[in-house]
Amino acid sequence: MEWIQQIVNGISLGSIYALIALGYTMVYGIIKLINFAHGDVFMIGSFVGFFAITGWNLGFFPALLLSMTVCAILGVIIERVAYKRLRNSTRIAALITAIGVSLLIEYVVIYFRGAQPEAYPKEILPAKSFELFGAKIDSQSLYILLITIVLMVLLQFIVHRTKIGKAMRAVSHDQDAAQLMGINVDTTISATFAIGSALAGAAGVIFGIYYIKIDPLMGIIPGLKAFIAAVLGGIGIIPGAMVGGFILGIVEVIVSAFGFSSWRDAAAFIILILILIFRPSGIFGKNTREKV
């Protein structure tokens, strides 16, 4: 029965990775850029949620919406300032720029507030436990899972049922043809960064509630793991990022449950190595161009 509890915990952890991975995969699907600053947008979202809850006495959902809004704006600013002029440059130039933006965000935060960690208040979400098939399940984990599912369903609706979503898919398939058809490519790319960054902001608040402790360098490891989740599912493919995140979360929790908690981070990178060797296109990937 303990395994049921571990799987629920793994899915909750995986939902955080999945939300961050969606930003990676959406941006790559549109402009073929690995935005390594995305993990630091996640960090900013976590701090915005923290200050909204502790400083302004906002509840969870207002803090979540505020964090998503701030991160969406930050994502657009990063795209317009750092990446827009590099669309026709080499991939290595864009990659180096992304790493530079990541370091800039981290150390600007450290400069203004210091490197000391903060702790989210407890019981922001109802923290009750109940039994399911003999296993003790934390209601907080279920709330996190439910919020993640709602955000993912909303994302799928935006991508497949709205005008901007159709524009995103068109630009992902063929940017030049989309522009000839009257689609504003710049607006579409900015919208992609905004949506992906908003999801990272939501993941930041959820992470703070789940792990309590946050700090200015917290985005590095979750950001890398979310990238691994995106590669595992198939970089550029939205359902793949979701599935990859859940798989990675469950694997980490199972590794810890077997008593190898010090290896849980290594497990993610072992998965990356194996997926690159045996299926570089990922679980849902094809050998053709990636699509959103």
Side-chain angles (χ1 to χ4, degrees):
M1 297 305 175
E2 183 183 345
W3 286 105
I4 296 175
Q5 183 176 350
Q6 295 295 343
I7 289 172
V8 171
N9 292 339
I11 292 173
S12 298
L13 175 60
S15 67
I16 297 171
Y17 294 150
L19 286 175
I20 308 172
L22 286 168
Y24 278 113
T25 210
M26 288 174 68
V27 169
Y28 186 84
I30 294 288
I31 58 173
K32 305 297 179 284
L33 168 71
I34 303 298
N35 179 21
F36 279 118
H38 193 61
D40 298 291
V41 175
F42 154 80
M43 177 269 292
I44 293 292
S46 191
F47 272 99
V48 170
F50 171 78
F51 288 120
I53 291 168
T54 58
W56 299 341
N57 296 318
L58 295 181
F60 170 75
F61 287 106
L64 183 73
L65 292 174
L66 178 63
S67 179
M68 292 176 70
T69 302
V70 170
C71 287
I73 295 170
L74 177 61
V76 173
I77 292 172
I78 290 172
E79 189 275 326
R80 289 295 174 98
V81 173
Y83 300 145
K84 185 177 180 180
R85 299 174 187 177
L86 298 173
R87 287 178 196 166
N88 298 319
S89 64
T90 60
R91 292 197 179 188
I92 191 67
L95 179 63
I96 292 170
T97 301
I99 295 171
V101 172
S102 172
L103 293 171
L104 176 65
I105 293 172
E106 290 170 6
Y107 288 96
V108 165
V109 172
I110 290 174
Y111 177 79
F112 282 106
R113 66 161 302 279
Q116 70 275 13
E118 301 282 5
Y120 262 68
K122 294 182 179 179
E123 298 185 1
I124 299 170
L125 290 174
K128 298 180 181 179
S129 299
F130 59 92
E131 287 195 0
L132 179 66
F133 301 113
K136 192 176 180 181
I137 306 299
D138 184 8
S139 63
Q140 208 169 61
S141 297
L142 296 182
Y143 277 115
I144 289 171
L145 179 59
L146 179 61
I147 292 164
T148 303
I149 290 172
V150 169
L151 290 173
M152 289 180 177
V153 170
L154 181 60
L155 174 64
Q156 289 289 61
F157 175 81
I158 291 171
V159 170
H160 293 285
R161 294 288 185 269
T162 66
K163 186 176 180 180
I164 191 65
K166 292 175 183 177
M168 287 163 57
R169 287 186 286 131
V171 172
S172 172
H173 184 74
D174 192 321
Q175 189 173 128
D176 293 331
Q179 195 164 16
L180 290 172
M181 293 300 292
I183 294 173
N184 189 322
V185 174
D186 286 342
T187 300
T188 303
I189 293 173
S190 293
T192 303
F193 270 84
I195 294 170
S197 298
L199 293 174
V205 178
I206 292 171
F207 182 94
I209 290 170
Y210 193 77
Y211 281 104
I212 308 297
K213 179 185 171 184
I214 62 172
D215 66 81
L217 301 179
M218 62 177 277
I220 298 173
I221 296 300
L224 287 174
K225 289 181 180 178
F227 171 67
I228 293 170
V231 173
L232 175 61
I235 190 77
I237 301 169
I238 287 176
M242 300 177 188
V243 173
F246 288 128
I247 291 174
L248 193 61
I250 292 171
V251 168
E252 282 197 16
V253 169
I254 288 175
V255 168
S256 296
F258 275 111
F260 300 102
S261 57
S262 60
W263 283 83
R264 61 181 296 170
D265 290 341
F269 295 99
I270 290 170
I271 289 173
L272 176 63
I273 293 169
L274 293 176
I275 201 73
L276 290 176
I277 292 172
F278 295 107
R279 191 172 174 82
S281 58
I283 296 171
F284 292 91
K286 300 180 179 68
N287 291 325
T288 55
R289 183 184 295 187
E290 297 87 341
K291 297 180 181 179
V292 174

